[in-house]
Amino acid sequence: MNYVEQIKECYYRNGNAINAIPMKHYLRDQFECIGIKTPKRREITRPFLKKSMLPPISDVDAVIREFWALDGREFQYFAQELAMKYLKQINKEAIKTYEFMIVNKSWWDTIDIIAKKLVGNYMLTFPEERDGILSKWLDSNNIWLQRSCLLFQLGYKEDTDVNCLFDVIRRLKTIDEFFIQKAIGWSLREYSKVNREAVFTFINGTALSKLARSEGLKIIQKQIESEK
């Protein structure tokens, strides 16, 4: 069996129809689930993520697209974990794979990992590509590409390009979409761990939605309360 077929056989053998029901409901019944909870899923597929078992990098895009086409949300989760095994080997074409993953079978459970782990790493590896990608995604009218623009710096901490973050927020702040407004607040809250004053000043000087503002201020407000 080829690589994809081996994972399919492994997952179908370990699936649990009873587990699949609440897992599917958790995703608002948008995706089928095989019924393998995350700890078990990672345990049974760990051997397939060892270096000796990985497909050559030239095949990764095609393999990920195969997994993405399968019914069973666990296959998309595995595809993400597979993509992360190649973070140090990616070329500029990898962004096409990541974009495919973002715009197909889109929901927060995959988008947030793709944005932070995959796109975030890509933007650091190829900084000269960043502005062009952001411009394209911000203009796309696709909320998941736009959300990715907000979240790709989540793991950057002190290396966050705050001007870029604030510019992206200004571009998206009037979009009446829960997943955009929640991500604005999340990105601000995360950066407030690094630079509280910058975030506080930005929030107070920018017309943000109630949701974005409240999410962005969560840590700051707790800190203020503890200092009283």
Side-chain angles (χ1 to χ4, degrees):
M1 289 186 288
N2 69 22
Y3 191 77
V4 175
E5 290 299 320
Q6 290 181 74
I7 303 298
K8 284 172 64 177
E9 192 278 332
C10 180
Y11 277 17
Y12 290 143
R13 177 162 33 90
N14 287 276
N16 183 312
I18 294 174
N19 287 343
I21 295 170
M23 292 171 71
K24 184 178 177 182
H25 288 343
Y26 181 67
L27 300 172
R28 297 190 181 178
D29 297 319
Q30 296 181 96
F31 311 104
E32 296 298 326
C33 292
I34 300 166
I36 311 172
K37 295 182 179 180
T38 298
K40 177 68 172 178
R41 183 182 60 76
R42 288 180 174 159
E43 176 191 339
I44 63 177
T45 50
R46 190 174 295 119
F48 297 99
L49 293 173
K50 290 182 177 179
K51 188 174 181 180
S52 60
M53 287 289 291
L54 295 175
I57 192 168
S58 57
D59 293 347
V60 171
D61 178 77
V63 169
I64 285 175
R65 288 171 189 258
E66 276 194 67
F67 281 124
W68 228 258
L70 296 174
D71 286 330
R73 196 58 166 167
E74 293 90 338
F75 291 121
Q76 282 87 66
Y77 298 154
F78 179 80
Q80 293 178 141
E81 292 164 5
L82 175 64
M84 282 188 262
K85 290 295 180 178
Y86 298 86
L87 291 180
K88 295 181 180 179
Q89 304 173 52
I90 59 169
N91 57 31
K92 289 185 179 180
E93 296 299 301
I95 198 65
K96 296 179 181 178
T97 306
Y98 303 157
E99 185 172 318
F100 170 84
M101 296 163 77
I102 292 169
V103 301
N104 290 280
K105 296 188 176 178
S106 312
W107 197 241
W108 66 265
D109 62 321
T110 53
I111 300 303
D112 295 356
I113 293 172
I114 298 165
K116 180 180 178 181
K117 301 289 187 180
L118 301 179
V119 177
N121 174 73
Y122 183 93
M123 299 297 205
L124 290 176
T125 305
F126 304 109
E128 70 280 7
E129 299 292 309
R130 188 193 72 180
D131 291 349
I133 293 166
L134 292 180
S135 178
K136 175 188 173 187
W137 288 5
L138 289 169
D139 289 339
S140 68
N141 292 321
N142 181 294
I143 65 166
W144 303 110
L145 290 172
Q146 293 169 334
R147 182 175 169 96
S148 298
C149 294
L150 289 161
L151 301 183
F152 79 91
Q153 294 196 83
L154 278 185
Y156 287 12
K157 299 181 180 179
E158 290 83 1
D159 294 326
T160 300
D161 183 336
V162 65
N163 292 324
C164 173
L165 174 62
F166 290 168
D167 284 347
V168 169
I169 291 171
R170 291 187 189 100
R171 284 284 306 274
L172 300 176
K173 66 185 178 68
T174 59
I175 294 178
D176 185 17
E177 166 56 54
F178 172 83
F179 288 106
I180 295 296
Q181 297 304 322
K182 189 81 170 179
I184 289 173
W186 184 10
S187 63
L188 288 169
R189 183 173 72 249
E190 192 67 19
Y191 188 61
S192 75
K193 298 175 184 177
V194 174
N195 193 332
R196 165 177 154 178
E197 292 304 319
V199 171
F200 190 70
T201 300
F202 178 78
I203 290 176
N204 285 326
T206 308
L208 297 176
S209 71
K210 188 174 181 180
L211 173 60
R213 179 182 176 85
S214 136
E215 289 289 325
L217 286 172
K218 275 184 178 177
I219 292 175
I220 295 174
Q221 287 176 333
K222 286 180 181 178
Q223 290 173 338
I224 293 172
E225 287 298 317
S226 69
E227 292 166 3
K228 287 181 180 178

